[in-house]
Amino acid sequence: MTVKSLKEARRDQILKSAEKVFSDKGFLNSTISDVAKETGVSDTTIYEYFSSKEELLFSIPREGIELSKQMLDSHLNYISGTTNKLRGMIYHLCKFYQDNPYFASISLMTLKTNKKFMETDTYKDLKEYYKTMTDVIKEGIQSGELKSDTDPYFVRSVIIGSVEFIVIRWLMYGCPEDKTQPILSVDPLFKLIMHGTKKDKRMKNFNFKIKIEPEDEDGEEA
Amino acid sequence: MTVKSLKEARRDQILKSAEKVFSDKGFLNSTISDVAKETGVSDTTIYEYFSSKEELLFSIPREGIELSKQMLDSHLNYISGTTNKLRGMIYHLCKFYQDNPYFASISLMTLKTNKKFMETDTYKDLKEYYKTMTDVIKEGIQSGELKSDTDPYFVRSVIIGSVEFIVIRWLMYGCPEDKTQPILSVDPLFKLIMHGTKKDKRMKNFNFKIKIEPEDEDGEEA
Amino acid sequence: MTVKSLKEARRDQILKSAEKVFSDKGFLNSTISDVAKETGVSDTTIYEYFSSKEELLFSIPREGIELSKQMLDSHLNYISGTTNKLRGMIYHLCKFYQDNPYFASISLMTLKTNKKFMETDTYKDLKEYYKTMTDVIKEGIQSGELKSDTDPYFVRSVIIGSVEFIVIRWLMYGCPEDKTQPILSVDPLFKLIMHGTKKDKRMKNFNFKIKIEPEDEDGEEA
Amino acid sequence: MTVKSLKEARRDQILKSAEKVFSDKGFLNSTISDVAKETGVSDTTIYEYFSSKEELLFSIPREGIELSKQMLDSHLNYISGTTNKLRGMIYHLCKFYQDNPYFASISLMTLKTNKKFMETDTYKDLKEYYKTMTDVIKEGIQSGELKSDTDPYFVRSVIIGSVEFIVIRWLMYGCPEDKTQPILSVDPLFKLIMHGTKKDKRMKNFNFKIKIEPEDEDGEEA
DNA sequence: GATGAATGAGACTTCATTCAT
DNA sequence: TATGAATGAAGTCTCATTCAT
């Protein structure tokens, strides 16, 4: 439990307001005045806490990114096996965006294409976050769960790209009120990543009686 | 062959300039004056051809989308089999963005998150484009090349999302000069979409002698 | 005779207004809006002609300095002898400030203590102007009209410093309406510069008739 | 010796800080916050001691002016003869500015052209100071050391104007570190004020034999 | 058809100053 | 006494857009 000073509390208040305002109207269509009104303070007060509109923008996602990373790390500890972890990661990615649509909006629709943001410390945090994902994939390759010719960076890009694409559409069409319904059911993406979409002709065989005479012990799924 | 009137030529000139300027500086950081200078006309002339800065922006991608769609359609005619067509689609998507980085920049970094753009006719063209991709996937399902439980919209999203994610990073980090080198080698994405990343343990079985006694023809995976 | 374009005319109009406004309220207490109102245009128009308030300020004295220098050069051509020229210079200095009190105000009360102004081209013009004065003094030394141990830069400083001091007081106490009355009668300054203020005790001797029989031409004071 | 209360000490501290800050950045470019930081107190504290930024500014030179006047008075007591006193005055003027460059800067570059300052008590002190100088000159006229047609106010103006002009240039070009070297050697100014710069042709006569036959009593220079 | 000239609206930002503690 | 917090008022400057030529 942290006890926040008044100053910190006010700062957080401004950040929350800015997050909402920038989400709703877009960063460049929003004014400091909008944020001030939303917060219930004067324009000037905003500048007491943030030196510029841009600094305010860049300050918004920090907490979200940290929180998301902590949650992910925490959950991953409960999961064993790369396959399961990958599924957990995808689930977390979707859920976090869905639970934090303002954060999602600012991250995906404003900051993602902002070059200056790439020079901030917060962006470094984001890269750390990405690293967690890549590490899981790398582990899977080493443990033999994933194909040995897998490019972990590439798989990560596909996962993030897919989720972001879907979240952006969700945001663009207006996030539905019913938040119990997931944006994207995790399993389709998970299955695609795992097994691909091509029908495996050999599967037909399973309808037949076969006699298999194993020579070693390591068979998997039935 | 179309013979363009002077008016049309001038219009295209302005569009090309705007594409470049908006790409380089971002839409909101660019001024009509920048575009006018790049075109070599006066600010006012821009307004002779486009009623507002936004209309100018929205007019930029039309030709690109049409061209890309035509090219895709044309190429698909040469390819038979969903699997091959999917690969062709992915290849075309990557190549077109890479060959038209200004178009890519504006499409992916400005328009993709612009709600008003979604109400334009050009956006309808884009949806047509997407439909072409979905149709290929649907065909693949019907023909039995792709798994029957595949959600074609979802697979399309994964493909587009992945490609866009990678193209955006390419744009953000500064498109390298050497354009002969592809942004993303098509096959990794294609293979992932087709076969997934999970190692198929049954493959090991191929090392063993097996006896197969077929009974009927239409088995599906459970 | 020069025919000024509309653009030049408008520019001059703004300069004149700015000169007046900055004089009356001081540069830093004046707003662009004040200048715009005085000119009868919108604020924005000011920025069409000058890129910033400071550039506007620095642009004001150029014409004045050039004009004053031309007038001085012109007058000096009519005068022979350093002594007479010095008197002409002092007269011109006083008269120009008196005839152009706005110019005087901005030059002496705003620009004189502005370090950035010292980096402008206009300041170079001013140094040229100063040079004209120093040259006259140097000539006087060479011709033998002025004492040979005179430091021309120093004499020039005394002349300018004295005149400026008096003009500043005139400005500060509010330039009297009656402009026919000179700020400073030239001759007191001229006489002081020439002969000093100390009573020459030897002068008493001149109460006598004397016969002088020169022997050579190049005597110097002991 | 005065024993200063804490309050007075703090006030002096603020004045010293303000003197430095206003000197370095200029009055209008300085903020109360700058002064507060330099002093090591909060902005609000400044207002405990001075009712406004302007009052703070106007309060700065009082002590300096009083001190300079006391020093001048004190020194003049040691000197007899107007000529010598004038030289002493010029020397003191230069030395005091040089020893107190912050004071010089604020006096000459900010207050000198501030009309409101002319309504303060401190400005009255300054006029007293000026009067001391005028009085010395008047005495010189009465005692016959100075020409009888000398305008004492005018001579004073020339002295102050010359010194100020030179000090301002010294300040503008950045006061050199070596403070042992005087800004302006006193004697050139003193000599100029005393004897002028014109070569006295009659001096030549002293090299010759002359015959003098007095006739009447009232001759002056021609 | 093209444009030079002008502008209204509004954005960001600064800072002297006050108030409550 | 000292100050942390807050703000009202104002200023510079930008830019999409229009109008008259």
Side-chain angles (χ1 to χ4, degrees):
Chain A
M1 273 307 177
T2 58
V3 176
K4 282 183 182 169
S5 71
L6 269 177
K7 198 113 189 171
E8 278 169 340
R10 171 59 45 105
R11 203 186 123 98
D12 285 355
Q13 229 183 327
I14 293 171
L15 279 172
K16 280 297 156 226
S17 304
E19 198 179 41
K20 175 167 172 35
V21 169
F22 291 168
S23 279
D24 289 347
K25 309 179 60 171
F27 175 66
L28 277 148
N29 296 318
S30 306
T31 68
I32 285 290
S33 197
D34 293 333
V35 176
K37 258 173 230 139
E38 177 74 26
T39 319
V41 297
S42 76
D43 293 24
T44 319
T45 299
I46 306 291
Y47 283 94
E48 285 277 314
Y49 292 85
F50 301 94
S51 65
S52 73
K53 193 186 168 193
E54 200 172 49
E55 200 217 301
L56 175 55
L57 171 68
F58 290 165
S59 301
I60 290 174
R62 173 137 53 189
E63 206 178 332
I65 289 174
E66 275 169 15
L67 179 60
S68 181
K69 184 165 186 311
Q70 278 170 24
M71 287 173 68
L72 180 58
D73 286 343
S74 158
H75 284 307
L76 289 181
N77 289 330
Y78 284 79
I79 303 172
S80 81
T82 297
T83 306
N84 297 328
K85 280 187 176 174
L86 268 180
R87 192 187 171 287
M89 267 168 31
I90 294 170
Y91 174 77
H92 175 68
L93 214 51
C94 295
K95 179 149 178 53
F96 195 83
Y97 279 136
Q98 187 169 13
D99 290 347
N100 301 280
Y102 295 148
F103 169 82
S105 173
I106 287 169
S107 298
L108 301 184
M109 309 192 30
T110 299
L111 291 173
K112 199 183 176 187
T113 55
N114 185 312
K115 277 186 186 164
K116 271 195 197 159
F117 176 62
M118 288 170 52
E119 292 155 16
T120 63
D121 284 344
T122 307
Y123 186 71
K124 282 180 196 156
D125 286 350
L126 188 61
K127 287 200 287 194
E128 281 295 309
Y129 189 95
Y130 285 176
K131 191 170 178 306
T132 303
M133 307 188 72
T134 324
D135 285 345
V136 167
I137 299 165
K138 282 179 181 167
E139 279 168 36
I141 296 165
Q142 283 177 339
S143 73
E145 279 185 84
L146 302 183
K147 289 176 182 161
S148 59
D149 63 348
T150 300
D151 176 344
Y153 300 99
F154 175 73
V155 172
R156 189 207 57 191
S157 292
V158 169
I159 292 174
I160 299 176
S162 302
V163 170
E164 287 185 0
F165 184 86
I166 287 160
V167 172
I168 286 174
R169 288 177 71 94
W170 173 69
L171 292 168
M172 290 295 289
Y173 283 106
C175 331
E177 294 303 310
D178 179 7
K179 296 199 174 172
T180 59
Q181 181 154 350
I183 312 171
L184 129 80
S185 38
V186 177
D187 288 314
L189 180 54
F190 175 60
K191 271 179 67 184
L192 186 65
I193 299 294
M194 287 294 114
H195 307 295
T197 193
K198 188 171 189 189
K199 182 178 261 179
D200 190 342
K201 297 294 171 79
R202 287 162 302 147
M203 294 301 172
K204 293 173 183 171
N205 302 332
F206 291 128
N207 295 324
F208 305 93
K209 291 176 192 158
I210 58 175
K211 274 192 191 170
I212 300 172
E213 294 165 25
E215 265 169 10
D216 84 49
E217 291 288 349
D218 201 38
E220 273 270 329
E221 61 202 299
Chain B
M1 272 306 178
T2 57
V3 176
K4 282 184 183 169
S5 70
L6 269 178
K7 192 120 191 170
E8 278 169 339
R10 169 64 43 107
R11 202 186 122 97
D12 284 356
Q13 234 183 325
I14 293 171
L15 280 172
K16 279 299 154 224
S17 304
E19 195 178 44
K20 175 167 172 34
V21 169
F22 292 168
S23 279
D24 289 347
K25 311 178 57 172
F27 175 66
L28 278 148
N29 296 319
S30 306
T31 67
I32 285 289
S33 193
D34 292 332
V35 176
K37 255 173 232 138
E38 177 74 27
T39 318
V41 297
S42 76
D43 294 22
T44 320
T45 300
I46 307 289
Y47 285 92
E48 293 276 323
Y49 294 86
F50 301 93
S51 66
S52 74
K53 193 188 170 192
E54 202 171 46
E55 199 216 303
L56 174 56
L57 170 68
F58 291 163
S59 303
I60 291 173
R62 172 135 57 188
E63 205 177 332
I65 288 173
E66 274 169 15
L67 179 60
S68 181
K69 185 164 184 313
Q70 278 169 25
M71 287 172 69
L72 181 58
D73 286 344
S74 157
H75 283 306
L76 288 181
N77 290 329
Y78 284 78
I79 303 171
S80 81
T82 297
T83 305
N84 296 329
K85 283 188 174 172
L86 267 180
R87 193 188 171 287
M89 267 168 31
I90 294 170
Y91 174 78
H92 175 69
L93 213 52
C94 294
K95 179 150 177 52
F96 195 82
Y97 280 135
Q98 186 169 15
D99 290 348
N100 301 279
Y102 294 149
F103 169 82
S105 174
I106 287 169
S107 298
L108 301 184
M109 311 197 23
T110 300
L111 292 173
K112 197 183 176 188
T113 55
N114 185 311
K115 278 185 187 167
K116 272 195 197 159
F117 176 62
M118 288 169 53
E119 293 154 16
T120 64
D121 284 344
T122 308
Y123 186 71
K124 284 180 193 153
D125 287 350
L126 188 60
K127 286 202 287 195
E128 280 296 309
Y129 188 97
Y130 284 176
K131 190 168 178 306
T132 303
M133 306 187 74
T134 325
D135 285 346
V136 167
I137 298 164
K138 282 179 180 169
E139 278 168 36
I141 295 165
Q142 283 177 340
S143 74
E145 278 185 85
L146 301 184
K147 289 174 182 164
S148 61
D149 64 347
T150 299
D151 175 344
Y153 299 98
F154 175 73
V155 172
R156 189 207 57 194
S157 293
V158 169
I159 292 173
I160 300 176
S162 302
V163 171
E164 287 185 0
F165 183 87
I166 287 160
V167 172
I168 286 174
R169 290 177 71 94
W170 174 68
L171 293 167
M172 290 295 290
Y173 283 104
C175 329
E177 294 301 310
D178 179 6
K179 298 201 173 171
T180 60
Q181 181 155 350
I183 311 170
L184 128 81
S185 37
V186 176
D187 288 313
L189 180 54
F190 176 60
K191 269 180 67 183
L192 188 65
I193 298 295
M194 287 294 114
H195 306 296
T197 192
K198 186 165 192 192
K199 184 178 253 175
D200 190 343
K201 297 294 168 83
R202 286 162 304 149
M203 296 304 172
K204 291 174 185 170
N205 301 332
F206 293 130
N207 296 323
F208 305 95
K209 294 174 191 158
I210 57 174
K211 273 192 190 172
I212 298 172
E213 297 166 24
E215 265 173 7
D216 77 50
E217 291 289 346
D218 197 37
E220 281 269 343
E221 63 203 299
Chain C
M1 273 304 179
T2 59
V3 176
K4 282 183 183 170
S5 70
L6 270 178
K7 199 114 191 168
E8 277 170 340
R10 171 59 46 103
R11 203 187 123 97
D12 285 355
Q13 231 183 325
I14 294 170
L15 279 172
K16 280 296 155 228
S17 304
E19 197 179 42
K20 174 166 172 34
V21 169
F22 292 167
S23 280
D24 288 346
K25 308 179 61 172
F27 174 65
L28 278 148
N29 297 319
S30 305
T31 70
I32 285 290
S33 197
D34 293 334
V35 176
K37 257 171 232 141
E38 176 75 25
T39 319
V41 297
S42 75
D43 293 23
T44 320
T45 299
I46 306 291
Y47 283 94
E48 285 277 313
Y49 292 85
F50 301 93
S51 64
S52 72
K53 193 185 167 193
E54 199 172 48
E55 200 216 301
L56 174 55
L57 170 68
F58 291 165
S59 301
I60 292 174
R62 172 135 56 189
E63 206 178 331
I65 289 174
E66 274 169 15
L67 179 61
S68 181
K69 184 165 186 310
Q70 277 169 25
M71 286 173 68
L72 180 59
D73 285 344
S74 158
H75 283 307
L76 288 181
N77 289 331
Y78 284 78
I79 302 170
S80 81
T82 297
T83 306
N84 296 331
K85 281 187 175 173
L86 267 180
R87 193 188 169 286
M89 265 167 31
I90 294 170
Y91 173 78
H92 175 69
L93 212 53
C94 295
K95 176 148 178 53
F96 195 82
Y97 279 135
Q98 185 167 18
D99 289 348
N100 302 279
Y102 294 147
F103 170 83
S105 173
I106 287 169
S107 298
L108 301 185
M109 312 198 22
T110 299
L111 291 172
K112 200 183 176 189
T113 54
N114 185 313
K115 277 185 186 165
K116 272 196 195 157
F117 175 63
M118 286 169 53
E119 291 155 16
T120 64
D121 283 344
T122 307
Y123 185 71
K124 281 179 195 152
D125 286 350
L126 188 61
K127 287 201 286 196
E128 280 297 307
Y129 188 96
Y130 285 177
K131 189 170 179 305
T132 303
M133 305 188 74
T134 323
D135 285 346
V136 167
I137 298 166
K138 283 178 179 169
E139 279 169 35
I141 296 166
Q142 281 178 340
S143 74
E145 279 185 83
L146 302 185
K147 288 173 184 167
S148 60
D149 64 348
T150 300
D151 175 345
Y153 300 98
F154 175 73
V155 172
R156 188 206 58 192
S157 293
V158 169
I159 292 174
I160 299 176
S162 303
V163 171
E164 287 185 0
F165 183 88
I166 288 160
V167 172
I168 286 174
R169 291 178 71 95
W170 174 69
L171 292 167
M172 291 295 290
Y173 284 104
C175 334
E177 296 303 310
D178 179 6
K179 299 200 174 170
T180 59
Q181 181 154 351
I183 313 171
L184 128 81
S185 37
V186 176
D187 287 315
L189 179 55
F190 176 61
K191 269 179 66 183
L192 186 65
I193 298 294
M194 287 295 115
H195 306 295
T197 192
K198 186 167 191 189
K199 185 175 250 175
D200 190 344
K201 299 295 170 78
R202 287 162 302 150
M203 294 302 172
K204 294 174 182 168
N205 302 332
F206 291 125
N207 296 326
F208 306 94
K209 285 183 191 158
I210 60 175
K211 274 193 187 171
I212 298 174
E213 297 166 24
E215 266 171 9
D216 82 49
E217 288 291 346
D218 197 37
E220 282 271 342
E221 64 203 295
Chain D
M1 272 303 177
T2 56
V3 176
K4 280 182 184 171
S5 70
L6 269 177
K7 190 121 189 166
E8 277 169 339
R10 169 64 43 107
R11 201 187 124 98
D12 284 357
Q13 232 183 324
I14 294 171
L15 279 172
K16 280 296 157 225
S17 303
E19 195 179 43
K20 175 167 172 33
V21 169
F22 292 167
S23 278
D24 288 346
K25 310 178 59 171
F27 174 66
L28 278 148
N29 295 320
S30 305
T31 68
I32 285 288
S33 192
D34 292 333
V35 176
K37 256 173 231 139
E38 178 75 25
T39 318
V41 297
S42 77
D43 293 22
T44 321
T45 301
I46 306 289
Y47 285 92
E48 293 277 321
Y49 294 87
F50 302 94
S51 65
S52 74
K53 193 186 169 192
E54 201 171 47
E55 199 216 304
L56 174 56
L57 170 68
F58 291 164
S59 303
I60 291 173
R62 173 136 54 186
E63 204 178 331
I65 289 174
E66 275 169 15
L67 178 62
S68 181
K69 183 163 187 311
Q70 277 169 26
M71 285 173 69
L72 180 58
D73 286 345
S74 155
H75 282 307
L76 288 181
N77 290 331
Y78 284 80
I79 302 170
S80 80
T82 297
T83 305
N84 295 331
K85 282 186 175 177
L86 266 181
R87 194 188 170 286
M89 264 167 33
I90 293 169
Y91 173 78
H92 175 69
L93 213 52
C94 294
K95 179 149 179 51
F96 195 82
Y97 279 135
Q98 186 168 16
D99 289 348
N100 302 278
Y102 294 149
F103 170 83
S105 174
I106 287 170
S107 298
L108 300 184
M109 310 196 26
T110 300
L111 292 172
K112 197 183 177 187
T113 54
N114 185 312
K115 277 184 188 167
K116 273 195 195 158
F117 176 62
M118 287 170 54
E119 291 154 17
T120 65
D121 284 345
T122 308
Y123 186 70
K124 281 180 195 153
D125 287 350
L126 187 61
K127 287 202 286 196
E128 279 298 308
Y129 188 97
Y130 284 176
K131 189 169 180 304
T132 303
M133 305 188 72
T134 325
D135 286 345
V136 167
I137 298 164
K138 281 180 180 166
E139 280 167 35
I141 296 166
Q142 282 176 342
S143 74
E145 277 186 86
L146 302 183
K147 287 174 185 164
S148 59
D149 63 349
T150 299
D151 175 345
Y153 300 100
F154 176 73
V155 172
R156 189 207 57 192
S157 292
V158 169
I159 292 173
I160 299 176
S162 302
V163 170
E164 287 185 358
F165 183 87
I166 287 160
V167 172
I168 286 174
R169 289 177 73 93
W170 175 69
L171 292 168
M172 290 295 289
Y173 283 105
C175 330
E177 294 302 308
D178 179 8
K179 297 200 172 172
T180 59
Q181 182 154 351
I183 311 171
L184 131 79
S185 39
V186 177
D187 287 314
L189 180 55
F190 176 61
K191 268 181 67 183
L192 187 65
I193 298 294
M194 287 295 114
H195 305 295
T197 192
K198 186 168 192 189
K199 182 179 261 179
D200 191 343
K201 297 295 173 79
R202 288 160 301 148
M203 295 303 173
K204 293 172 183 172
N205 300 335
F206 293 127
N207 297 324
F208 305 95
K209 295 175 191 159
I210 57 174
K211 276 192 188 170
I212 299 174
E213 297 168 20
E215 258 174 12
D216 75 48
E217 294 286 349
D218 199 38
E220 276 270 340
E221 64 204 295

